Each structure stands twice: as structure tokens, then as C-alpha cells.
Amino acid sequence: MNCFSVKNLNLHYGEMHALIDIHFDMKYREITALIGPSGCGKSTFLRTLNRMNDLVEGCRVEGSVRLFDEDIYTMPDVSMLRKRVGMVFQKPNPFPMSVFDNVAYGPRTHGVRSRQELEMIVEKSLRDAAIWDEVKDRLKKPAMSLSGGQQQRLCIARALAVSPEVLLLDEPTSALDPLSTAKIEELLRELRSKYSVVIVTHNMQQAAHISDKTAFFLLGELVEQGDTKELFENPRDERTAEYISVKVSAPQAACAAPVDIPARLAG
Amino acid sequence: MTGMKIKENIMKWLVWASIALTAATLAFIVLFVVVKGLPYLKPSLFSLTYNSVNVSLTPALISTVILTALALVIAVPFGVFASIFLVEYAKRGSKIVKFIRAMSETLAGIPSIVFGLFGMLFFVTFLGFGFSVLSGALTLAIMVLPIVLRSSEEALLAVPDSLREGSLSLGAGKLRTIFKVVLPAAAPGIFGGVILSSGRVVGETAALIYTAGTVAQIPYSPLQSARTLSVHMYALSGESLHVGEGYATAIVLLVLVAVINVASSAILKRANRNRI
């Protein structure tokens, strides 16, 4: 069954044609990595999947994006969609409140009031995000007091707390040190048994390491999508081959890749 | 010695001179007030009632607190909600935002006596509130509205969009995002504007004389006239019979302002403990 199925997707920021005729399919409980150079539209594409682009002025979306056979752009309630499709951002963005309240924010938003139930959800989410042992004694402490890597795992826990069906991650490790990055990669590999995940990454090793499927974006087009191993070893498209060979032969450069400028700023 | 070195020394001395001058001015004023006022700062000055023999400042002190609180209670909700509209709802850089901003900046530049005149014509006469705490508080509320508005606007703008996105991406609506995430994050900045406003209210005389009047009594109803400490000082020095007591009142006013500042920074520190 397809979890996401995208057809003829076109996206404009005012005059700029940012996504061109995208066809994209994703299976249930798979990790798909989106790769490509800065400004190629992969983050923009990610944001069409939970309609975060709705917030950008002058953004126009055409085509169909289906989540389990439901067109998300005709859904009456965006918040229900966003409950089902969670998102983790490039920079950790914990709210200025306690660790507990951060994780409980989503469930509370969707009507969970009982303290007991909240405590259960918070513990489970923090365990799933592999941070429970580090924060179980400081649930009342402000989330800002955690380290960057912990903050990002807290944000993952916060996203998991509303039991999403899909988790979108926008370069979740680009602002983190190698140790925290390794922890989050390990966490993502564990998550794939329970969730469907789409992750944008600049890091080829990361894509090869954690994903089942990979999609390569270039200049607003989805050039190629396939099994990760297949795509890295036998790319069908020349452009993919070129991008991968440059990136893999210069891993240093890949690690030091510049932070992706959000397309909405560029546009 | 090279020219460069001389220039550097001159600059250094100029900087030190400015610091010394600023500190000395403040020290001189405080010292002047204390020396002139301290001999008159007697317990009788704090008796509950004012009369022409014992110009007690207690009624004025209480009126100051009441009037300040009332003015802020009126101005803060309006200012904060208006800033929420400007930052969160209006299109950024739209005509209405520019218009409201221009209006509030103009409002901030108007001399307080003009507010006093408006307050007298509108609240005192037209609405029939008379010379009263209510008229004074309403007038001062209008006067400090731009301060509250601008500082909350700045505070809201300083909240990173990533927090808003984080909340929306969890399925929260706009209203919940604003009240649960954005406002708490902006609270210290908004609070700073409120403190600044309370300073303006405590120090105001011109706008109050024609709206709250100058009756030296503890107001038991918002429709009674009352004088704040600043107005009390103005009255005492104008009557020229109790100038010494006026200086004593100034000491109390200085202490009050210092207390407000210390208390507010303590509150801020407490609030910040939960954030960082």
C-alpha cells in the first residue's frame, strides 16, 4: 500500500516554479531519503506533504498529494493532517517550557487532559526517541537546558507524541555534532519498524545508511527514485550518477555542505 | 608619542568624562533631593489624612498605586492584542500595519499636556466622569498605549518563526500557537514595556492635573478625584508653603520607582528560570 502518492505536483512561489511535475510514491513503514544540492526543492517538497507551505505567502500548489488515498489538499482540517504527518525541523525548536510540557503539547492540543494518560504518552514518546534515560529525572526542567542533540531528540519525541502515521524530517542532523548525529541515525533505523519516514539530507552516507528508498532532486525536478542500494550503485540517470560520484568521492565536502537556504526566503 | 596615541588618549578621556558627568548628574540630583527632603521626612508625613497643616503624602502614595494599576489594566490588554494583530494576523508590511505604526508613533510624540486637554474635554466633560481617578487612568492609558504596543510588537517579532512552525506542525491552530507558545516566549519583552509604561504613569503630572484633579484624599471610588505623588509634589512646590515636604515626597517617589525596577527585574529573573 502506498502511504504517500504524489502525482503531477507543481509548486510556484510567486513567479518562481519551485517544484516541476513531481511524481512520487512511498510505501508504508519505509524510510525514504530526499537528496540533492541546495535549493533543489527537496525541503519545499517535504513541506507540501504536511501543507506547511500553506503558510508561505504567494505559494501555489497544483496536482494531487494523497495520503492513504485521501487528497490532503482537499482535506477540510489541516490540523488533522498535521497530526497524522508529523515534522521535525532542521534546527531543534523546543518550546520555552519544560521537557514534559513540550512532549505533552501535541496530545493536549488534541484533547488529552488526564494527567495519567499524558504521563504515559510522554514516557512512551521519550523512550521511542531514545532520550528517556537522559531526561527522566529532569522532566520539569526547561527544554532549553538540554544539549542541541538532546533538544532534537526531544523534538522527535514531541512529534511522536501525537502518534503520527508519517514522520517528516528536514535535515534533522545538520545542526548537530557527529555524536548526536550518530544517535539520531540509530534512532531513525529503529523507528522504521513503526513509522513511515521521509528525511531530507545533505549527507550521502546518511542517506545510504538509513534509508530504504532514495529520491534525487535537481532544480525542482525529481530526477530519480528507487531502492537506495540500487540508486547509489546503479543510478539510471546520468545526473544522479554525477551528483553521487562527486559527493561520495569528496565526503569532506559532503559533510561540510552549506545549510540549505529555505526556498521561501530565496523566493 | 605618536599622533595615533594622542588621539587614543583624548578619546579615552572624553569617554571617561562623559561617564563621570552622567554619574555626577544623577548623584547630584539624588543628593540634592535627599539633603533638602530628609529633614522633613517625618512619621507625620505618612499619616492617613492630608490637611493644610500636615501635608501627608499617604493619600498621594495610595492614589499613585491605584492610578498606575488602573491605567495599566486598561492599556496593556489593548496594546498587547493590537500587537498580536499586527504581528500574527495582518500581512507583514501591509498598508494597515504601516498606518497603525505611524499613528502609534505620532501618539508617542505628543506632549502629555495635550493628552491632558483631550482627557479633560472627553472623559471629564463629555463623558461626565468629572475630575476622577477614572478620567486620569483612561487618559494615561491612551498616553502609554504606544509604548505597550511597540514593545509587545518588538517582542512578538523577536520570537523565532521556528517555534510557530513547531506548534503548527503538531496540528495546533493559530490561536493556540499564539497563546501557548508565542506569547509566553515574548512575555519578558512585553513585561519590559509594561514597566516602562508604569514609569511614565508614575512620573506624569501635566496630563493628570486636568483629568484626575488634585484632591489629596484616598479615593474610595474611581469617580473620586485624587492626586498622585508627582502631582502632590507639583502642588506643594506651587503653594510654596511646604517646599521641604515636597522634597521629602520626592524621596518617597524615588524609592517607589527604585522598588518597581528592582521588583520587576526580580520577576523577570524568576520567569527566565523556566526558559533557559
Side-chain angles (χ1 to χ4, degrees):
Chain A
M1 180 169 47
N2 276 348
C3 154
F4 263 119
S5 146
V6 177
K7 285 197 178 65
N8 296 96
L9 178 75
N10 281 284
L11 184 144
H12 297 259
Y13 287 123
E15 295 293 299
M16 193 178 128
H17 198 169
L19 292 175
I20 306 161
D21 232 356
I22 306 277
H23 293 265
F24 173 89
D25 285 309
M26 188 185 137
K27 292 229 158 48
Y28 184 54
R29 290 192 178 168
E30 265 186 356
I31 295 192
T32 302
L34 310 182
I35 61 170
S38 297
C40 67
K42 53 196 190 308
S43 288
T44 303
F45 176 68
L46 194 75
R47 287 164 159 268
T48 58
L49 298 179
N50 65 345
R51 292 182 58 179
M52 283 306 271
N53 281 325
D54 289 16
L55 306 169
V56 183
E57 260 169 57
C59 174
R60 213 165 69 245
V61 181
E62 292 150 13
S64 95
V65 181
R66 289 181 168 275
L67 170 66
F68 295 114
D69 273 345
E70 237 182 302
D71 192 326
I72 67 167
Y73 279 85
T74 56
M75 276 185 188
D77 189 1
V78 189
S79 51
M80 268 328 278
L81 167 70
R82 294 192 183 136
K83 180 180 179 296
R84 293 170 63 187
V85 184
M87 190 167 212
V88 174
F89 298 83
Q90 189 171 351
K91 268 205 240 147
N93 58 349
F95 302 138
M97 44 179 96
S98 73
V99 171
F100 184 93
D101 288 340
N102 260 280
V103 184
Y105 184 86
R108 278 179 176 143
T109 301
H110 298 286
V112 180
R113 286 282 167 273
S114 117
R115 184 79 197 174
Q116 234 179 342
E117 200 178 337
L118 284 173
E119 274 170 8
M120 236 170 58
I121 296 173
V122 169
E123 177 171 347
K124 183 176 180 306
S125 311
L126 289 170
R127 280 189 193 282
D128 281 352
I131 189 180
W132 171 252
D133 288 331
E134 290 159 65
V135 298
K136 64 177 182 226
D137 298 323
R138 42 206 282 213
L139 293 176
K140 292 225 165 62
K141 291 269 156 58
M144 304 288 196
S145 68
L146 303 178
S147 75
Q150 288 174 329
Q151 286 185 12
Q152 192 63 304
R153 275 179 289 148
L154 177 69
C155 291
I156 294 176
R158 190 174 68 187
L160 295 181
V162 293
S163 347
E165 295 156 38
V166 188
L167 195 58
L168 310 176
L169 301 117
D170 191 356
E171 295 187 46
T173 60
S174 65
L176 304 180
D177 61 275
L179 212 70
S180 306
T181 301
K183 271 193 188 158
I184 286 185
E185 285 176 358
E186 197 184 307
L187 163 64
L188 291 177
R189 276 202 304 279
E190 281 166 26
L191 286 181
R192 79 169 135 194
S193 60
K194 295 186 200 157
Y195 301 91
S196 313
V197 176
V198 188
I199 176 170
V200 168
T201 179
H202 261 300
N203 183 328
M204 292 302 109
Q205 279 82 353
Q206 190 171 62
H209 199 43
I210 62 173
S211 68
D212 305 303
K213 298 278 165 61
T214 297
F216 172 59
F217 281 78
L218 189 67
L219 301 170
E221 283 181 79
L222 202 172
V223 175
E224 184 171 349
Q225 183 186 12
D227 283 330
T228 299
K229 203 166 178 319
E230 188 74 15
L231 186 131
F232 275 95
E233 285 170 9
N234 293 308
R236 289 193 300 273
D237 197 288
E238 275 174 36
R239 292 169 289 176
T240 317
E242 193 185 344
Y243 181 72
I244 289 172
S245 67
V246 171
K247 277 282 193 176
V248 173
S249 64
Q252 293 277 292
C255 291
V259 173
D260 207 358
I261 300 161
R264 63 205 190 101
L265 294 182
Chain B
M1 211 191 264
T2 62
M4 199 65 180
K5 193 101 185 174
I6 294 170
K7 262 190 208 161
E8 220 170 80
N9 272 328
I10 292 175
M11 275 313 289
K12 204 164 90 184
W13 282 110
L14 277 176
V15 169
W16 276 107
S18 331
I19 295 171
L21 199 67
T22 313
T25 311
L26 181 68
F28 177 74
I29 292 174
V30 172
L31 209 66
F32 185 81
V33 168
V34 168
V35 166
K36 288 267 206 179
L38 211 52
Y40 295 91
L41 200 64
K42 296 181 202 122
S44 63
L45 211 56
F46 293 94
S47 80
L48 271 180
T49 48
Y50 166 98
N51 58 51
S52 53
V53 180
N54 179 27
V55 288
S56 161
L57 59 77
T58 308
L61 183 59
I62 292 169
S63 305
T64 306
V65 174
I66 293 174
L67 207 131
T68 307
L70 197 57
L72 291 181
V73 162
I74 298 165
V76 170
F78 278 104
V80 171
F81 283 114
S83 70
I84 289 176
F85 168 76
L86 290 180
V87 177
E88 307 289 337
Y89 285 96
K91 244 168 91 177
R92 288 194 185 174
S94 72
K95 281 216 174 84
I96 182 144
V97 172
K98 281 185 188 147
F99 177 72
I100 293 176
R101 205 170 280 157
M103 292 298 275
S104 78
E105 257 155 41
T106 313
L107 215 55
I110 292 176
S112 60
I113 187 74
V114 178
F115 285 104
L117 191 65
F118 168 79
M120 186 176 78
L121 292 175
F122 189 69
F123 298 122
V124 175
T125 312
F126 183 73
L127 292 182
F129 294 155
F131 290 122
S132 63
V133 172
L134 185 63
S135 301
L138 286 166
T139 308
L140 291 191
I142 297 175
M143 200 178 84
V144 298
L145 190 60
I147 302 176
V148 178
L149 180 65
R150 273 319 286 272
S151 57
S152 338
E153 201 187 347
E154 298 292 330
L156 290 175
L157 284 172
V159 175
D161 274 340
S162 65
L163 288 187
R164 293 181 181 88
E165 286 186 334
S167 172
L168 293 171
S169 78
L170 288 165
K174 191 153 188 169
L175 209 61
R176 185 175 167 82
T177 301
I178 291 169
F179 279 94
K180 293 284 176 184
V181 175
V182 179
L183 273 183
I190 296 174
F191 191 65
V194 173
I195 295 307
L196 209 64
S197 307
S198 73
R200 277 294 292 275
V201 174
V202 168
E204 187 52 48
T205 49
L208 281 175
I209 294 168
Y210 300 107
T211 54
T214 57
V215 177
Q217 63 181 5
I218 300 171
Y220 292 104
S221 131
L223 289 173
Q224 280 182 327
S225 169
R227 58 164 72 159
T228 64
L229 282 172
S230 302
V231 176
H232 184 61
M233 269 176 62
Y234 171 77
L236 289 184
S237 42
E239 288 155 5
S240 76
L241 287 169
H242 297 285
V243 177
E245 282 82 353
Y247 281 110
T249 308
I251 298 177
V252 174
L253 189 56
L254 280 178
V255 171
L256 181 68
V257 171
V259 165
I260 290 178
N261 278 335
V262 171
S264 58
S265 60
I267 292 172
L268 261 189
K269 220 182 228 169
R270 233 187 125 77
N272 275 334
R273 251 208 332 235
N274 292 325
R275 304 137 95 39
I276 292 157

